[in-house]
Amino acid sequence: MGDSTGKRKQDTASNGSGFKKQKKGHGGKWKTTHQQTKDATQIKMGKSIDIGDQGLWVTYARGMKVKAVKEFTKLCFQYGETMYGIAQEEENTNTDAKEEDEVEDIEASIQKELDDMKASQKPQPGVRLFTPITTNIDCVFFMKALSPIEPEKLALQICEDARDCADIRKRRCRYINRLTPVVASDKATDNGIIRIARKVLAPYFELNPAPDAGEEASEQVDKGASTGGDAPHTYAIRYNIRSHDTFTSEDVIKKIASVVNPKHKVNLGKPDKVILVEIFQLHCGLSVVDGNAWEALKKYNVNALYELKPPTSEDDATKAQQVEDKS
């Protein structure tokens, strides 16, 4: 009766259990249209900020992380080429071909040496000039920048171009809001905040002697005075503290202000210089920007600058140039 049912017997030749065919992929040989579209929107991001990193803190429109990171990364590489002459992507793809070229005469040899000297000042092949870093915070990421990029000058140029863009079709950012440059960073500790403040503020302010530092402190003060600390500047401290609960905003302001010589007065309304402080987890980053330019450029808010009417008359253009010269 068992044979009359017509059911197929299980294969129990190996271990007595029935064999079940498993579903397997195709080894990445083909993808659906949906998978291809999803992969095209992905962008490689770093996972951590290291001590000493420089770059830009970037805020963007809510829910637009992938698009914001992608468009700003592309924008940074464009400015890397226009401001610093570094066409990194093209340089990396052509490196092997350049190395295979043979030098045929003395003039070509000399030219090659000059090119090599210039190339040595640029990032090595395989090292990205800009790397977006995820922060696991809504609407914020960090764009890490390598030398010779100067974050404060990059942020200023991006904002000035946004202000001067009269044609809506030529706008290069749709999702980016505020930019905050970081020229240097250190640990967000008592000593780390003081150390990074002395390093970043020295070119702009005369500094107080470091307590219990002796001759070394005097040398640092002299260095600050000789590089721009002679003329008294008014200043204001603006800060952002994210994912950090060790120091309050009042603690941070007091620590940084304690470094600056009292001849430089605080002016919260219209300061000559603005000290930008960014604390994220265990990292503290600083930069100094021109107060007039920072206010005129909507505190480096790219989206807000697109809504401004660019200067058209000679007077407006002159005022814009004066702001740029002061920066």
Side-chain angles (χ1 to χ4, degrees), residues 216-235:
E216 182 180 355
S218 299
E219 292 178 359
Q220 290 179 342
V221 173
D222 292 341
K223 180 180 179 181
S226 63
T227 55
D230 288 336
H233 301 299
T234 59
Y235 70 95

Side-chain angles (χ1 to χ4, degrees), residues 36-197:
Q36 293 175 352
T37 303
K38 183 178 180 180
D39 290 345
T41 61
Q42 300 300 313
I43 186 168
K44 185 177 181 180
M45 296 186 69
K47 296 182 179 180
S48 63
I49 302 174
D50 298 323
I51 301 300
D53 281 353
Q54 65 170 17
L56 298 165
W57 281 99
V58 185
T59 64
Y60 56 88
R62 184 175 297 277
M64 297 295 175
K65 177 179 179 180
V66 174
K67 292 182 178 179
V69 172
K70 194 170 184 178
E71 77 170 5
F72 192 70
T73 301
K74 180 180 179 180
L75 181 67
C76 285
F77 277 108
Q78 291 174 351
Y79 277 94
E81 181 175 0
T82 57
M83 293 180 65
Y84 300 94
I86 303 177
Q88 190 179 44
E89 294 177 339
E90 296 179 2
E91 181 181 353
N92 288 343
T93 56
N94 296 332
T95 300
D96 294 337
K98 291 180 180 179
E99 292 179 350
E100 294 176 357
D101 291 340
E102 295 182 358
V103 180
E104 298 180 355
D105 51 33
I106 298 177
E107 292 183 358
S109 178
I110 295 175
Q111 184 61 42
K112 186 175 185 301
E113 290 181 4
L114 293 175
D115 293 340
D116 290 341
M117 292 174 62
K118 293 180 180 179
S120 64
Q121 300 175 357
K122 300 178 181 180
Q124 296 298 318
V127 178
R128 291 175 60 85
L129 191 63
F130 297 97
T131 303
I133 307 294
T134 184
T135 61
N136 295 323
I137 302 177
D138 289 341
C139 305
V140 180
F141 70 91
F142 182 74
M143 180 61 74
K144 179 179 177 180
L146 300 182
S147 179
I149 300 300
E150 300 166 292
E152 72 281 14
K153 293 183 179 180
L154 176 62
L156 178 64
Q157 189 63 55
I158 291 175
C159 291
E160 287 179 338
D161 290 346
R163 175 201 61 194
D164 297 338
C165 182
D167 190 345
I168 190 173
R169 295 170 297 180
K170 295 182 179 180
R171 295 179 180 178
R172 292 191 277 181
C173 290
R174 296 179 59 189
Y175 311 105
I176 301 302
N177 291 329
R178 193 179 305 279
L179 306 179
T180 304
V182 170
V183 300
S185 61
D186 207 319
K187 297 178 181 179
T189 61
D190 286 306
N191 293 333
I193 294 175
I194 297 296
R195 186 165 52 241
I196 195 63

